[in-house]
Amino acid sequence: MAIATYPAVRMPPFGAIAIPLLVARPSLDNLFGLIRLPMAGTSLSLGFLFNIFIVSLAAVLMGHALLVNRLQQRVVLTVSIIWMPFLLASAMAAVRAPVPIDGIQILFNFLTYGAIAYIGLVYSADLSRRSLTIIIALSGVVPIFFGLFQVALGSAPSRISSTFGHPNILAFFCFLYISFLFHAQLSGYLRSFAGKSVIWGLIGAATLALLLTGTRSAYLSTYLFLLLYSAFRKPLLILPLLLLPPIVLLIPAVAERINDAISGTTPVTYDYLVSAMRGDVSDSGVLQLDSGTWRRYLWQASWPWIQQNWIFGYGLGSFKYYSLDFFPLSSENGSGAHNVYIQILFEGGMIMLISYIFIIFSIIFIQFYNKNINKFDKVYCWLLIVTYSVASYSDNMLYYLSINIAIWFVIFAMCNMGDDRLTGPIKRLAYVQRG
């Protein structure tokens, strides 16, 4: 039986600019934050200008879809339904931000996440699994090997951050990097022996870099992903994965971070600890908190404030700003929530939290009912969303711009991705309608 062939459809405009920028973005994270350009009486970082570019590009592509390419109108509608409630709730919260410039910057970060999701969905029909693998693989070469090079030279801090502004950002980049390339390897996205060998080498290097970041929540997310994915895909890999934790504990830096998490826990209550810090309790001795207890006390202190304004919240960026008032153990410049759900509830109320959860379940729904996605790609996206959501419980995931750009691009690209042997669904639809 003959296999039908379809005319090629050009990639939507600006792909030659957008894709290389996405590849280079992780390598330029620190540079984007350091370089500032004067503009209209203030200064804007290159990172903020990158956000403006991505949002503008998405707007242009939407305009192109609405005015020129009607086949893309369903894509516009899909992304709008998923992201618009959250972006509208964020805009409402930005108006109430205690520091307006911070509120605007956070709002643009969220707009960038929605824009990159749309860009991923638009370009996905013209991206094969092989090309997406190459894009992701190339994006991590500089950040990962630069960090390992620093360690080899002895110039790295105790927790490496490489080209990123914080070790946690590098850690969760490695989480995405490892998870996607692991999925690509087991799915045969690259078929040549040389290509597969290179990818395994990159996975190994990324794993080492992840361990050297000292980010325990990223350890958990990556390990949880590998275990669950292997259980679905290749159960024989579970045994070596179970042997992995004792092996990595032989690395001193990793063992020290794990020991810190389970030591130093104080049996005293939050109220007692605050009283001791204020000098109200004599002979309290030295009281140390592990990071988990510190987070729990932070959330406990924020809860009365949340209850007072649980519908609309206090505005974008307000948690860190007001933590100086409600949390005596806060750092000098305020403390982030270290919990996406608490942060959203505090800053945008239930309206914003429900709209954020709606994004998560919408993606799961789309993946489940989309017949163009094979089952293992669905499993990957579901597990990526689940492990990302788990990490969001104990980390400031929404503030990690580079990570969110990469994650939302990958997830939405895989909703409508082309294949090495078959054309993408948008191409097929274009052919049918032209015919």
Side-chain angles (χ1 to χ4, degrees):
M1 183 167 123
I3 299 176
T5 58
Y6 306 101
V9 177
R10 289 189 309 169
M11 178 174 284
F14 307 110
I17 299 175
I19 299 302
L21 271 179
L22 291 175
V23 171
R25 181 63 178 82
S27 305
L28 303 173
D29 198 68
N30 267 336
L31 185 64
F32 277 1
L34 291 174
I35 298 179
R36 307 190 71 86
L37 302 175
M39 186 174 295
T42 184
S43 62
L44 298 178
S45 68
L46 284 181
F48 190 75
L49 294 179
F50 175 86
N51 291 358
I52 294 175
F53 171 78
I54 292 296
V55 172
S56 300
L57 174 59
V60 169
L61 291 174
M62 285 185 177
H64 181 266
L66 295 174
L67 299 175
V68 179
N69 187 356
R70 295 182 180 179
L71 298 174
Q72 294 287 351
Q73 291 179 5
R74 175 174 283 187
V75 178
V76 175
L77 179 62
T78 300
V79 175
S80 298
I81 290 174
I82 294 173
W83 281 91
M84 194 57 69
F86 178 72
L87 295 178
L88 287 175
S90 300
M92 293 169 57
V95 173
R96 301 189 303 278
V99 181
I101 189 66
D102 290 346
I104 293 173
Q105 182 172 342
I106 295 171
L107 176 61
F108 253 90
N109 285 352
F110 295 164
L111 286 170
T112 303
Y113 304 160
I116 207 68
Y118 176 72
I119 290 171
L121 199 55
V122 168
Y123 289 154
S124 60
D126 297 273
L127 288 176
S128 67
R129 289 165 171 79
R130 178 178 180 274
S131 59
L132 184 60
T133 303
I134 293 172
I135 288 170
I136 300 301
L138 290 177
S139 69
V141 170
V142 173
I144 290 168
F145 284 98
F146 180 73
L148 297 180
F149 184 67
Q150 286 179 306
V151 173
L153 291 181
S155 60
S158 58
R159 298 177 61 195
I160 67 170
S161 56
S162 187
T163 59
F164 297 101
H166 193 279
N168 287 6
I169 306 178
L170 173 62
F172 282 105
F173 177 80
C174 290
F175 153 69
L176 172 67
Y177 197 77
I178 294 167
S179 66
F180 180 82
L181 294 184
F182 186 74
H183 165 66
Q185 289 290 80
L186 296 190
S187 300
Y189 282 8
L190 297 183
R191 297 185 179 88
S192 69
F193 176 79
K196 290 182 177 181
S197 299
V198 169
I199 296 300
W200 282 124
L202 291 174
I203 291 174
T207 302
L208 180 57
L210 168 64
L211 294 173
L212 294 175
T213 64
T215 304
R216 291 160 297 207
S217 54
Y219 294 170
L220 175 62
S221 297
T222 307
Y223 189 64
L224 181 63
F225 173 89
L226 294 176
L227 273 179
L228 293 176
Y229 186 83
S230 297
F232 276 105
R233 194 67 188 273
K234 211 163 191 176
L236 288 176
L237 292 175
I238 293 179
L239 180 59
L241 285 172
L242 291 176
L243 298 175
L244 188 60
I247 295 174
V248 299
L249 284 175
L250 297 176
I251 303 175
V254 177
E256 182 180 351
R257 291 292 292 171
I258 299 299
N259 288 333
D260 285 345
I262 60 178
S263 63
T265 302
T266 175
V268 301
T269 64
Y270 170 68
D271 292 334
Y272 180 90
L273 185 67
V274 172
S275 297
M277 290 188 61
R278 290 173 174 168
D280 299 334
V281 179
S282 59
D283 301 325
S284 61
V286 178
L287 298 175
Q288 295 182 339
L289 288 180
D290 65 283
S291 59
T293 304
W294 182 88
R295 283 170 166 79
R296 191 171 70 251
Y297 285 167
L298 173 65
W299 305 334
Q300 177 183 333
S302 70
W303 194 249
W305 283 59
I306 291 174
Q307 289 178 313
Q308 293 175 20
N309 197 3
W310 63 275
I311 297 179
F312 297 106
Y314 296 90
L316 293 184
S318 59
F319 191 99
K320 186 174 183 179
Y321 181 85
Y322 288 123
S323 67
L324 295 170
D325 296 327
F326 65 74
F327 190 56
L329 308 181
S330 181
S331 64
E332 183 179 351
N333 297 320
S335 299
H338 291 80
N339 183 311
V340 166
Y341 313 106
I342 293 290
Q343 174 193 334
I344 292 176
L345 191 57
F346 189 98
E347 298 184 356
M350 281 299 299
I351 294 176
M352 189 171 169
L353 180 60
I354 291 172
S355 63
Y356 178 76
I357 295 173
F358 176 74
I359 294 175
I360 304 299
F361 281 96
S362 295
I363 295 169
I364 295 173
F365 177 84
I366 288 174
Q367 294 278 350
F368 184 81
Y369 284 101
N370 192 337
K371 296 180 180 179
N372 293 313
I373 309 174
N374 72 56
K375 62 180 180 179
F376 293 121
D377 285 351
K378 290 181 180 183
V379 167
Y380 169 73
C381 289
W382 291 339
L383 290 180
L384 181 61
I385 284 290
V386 167
T387 47
Y388 175 86
S389 300
V390 169
S392 297
Y393 177 77
S394 61
D395 222 314
N396 297 309
M397 296 298 290
L398 284 182
Y399 288 136
Y400 301 156
L401 182 68
S402 293
I403 307 309
N404 283 279
I405 287 174
I407 284 178
W408 294 120
F409 179 80
V410 166
I411 287 174
F412 277 81
M414 294 185 71
C415 287
N416 192 34
M417 190 166 54
D419 190 272
D420 293 330
R421 293 160 296 178
L422 300 176
T423 53
I426 289 180
K427 293 179 185 177
R428 297 197 295 272
L429 180 60
Y431 176 78
V432 170
Q433 293 203 0
R434 281 199 304 267

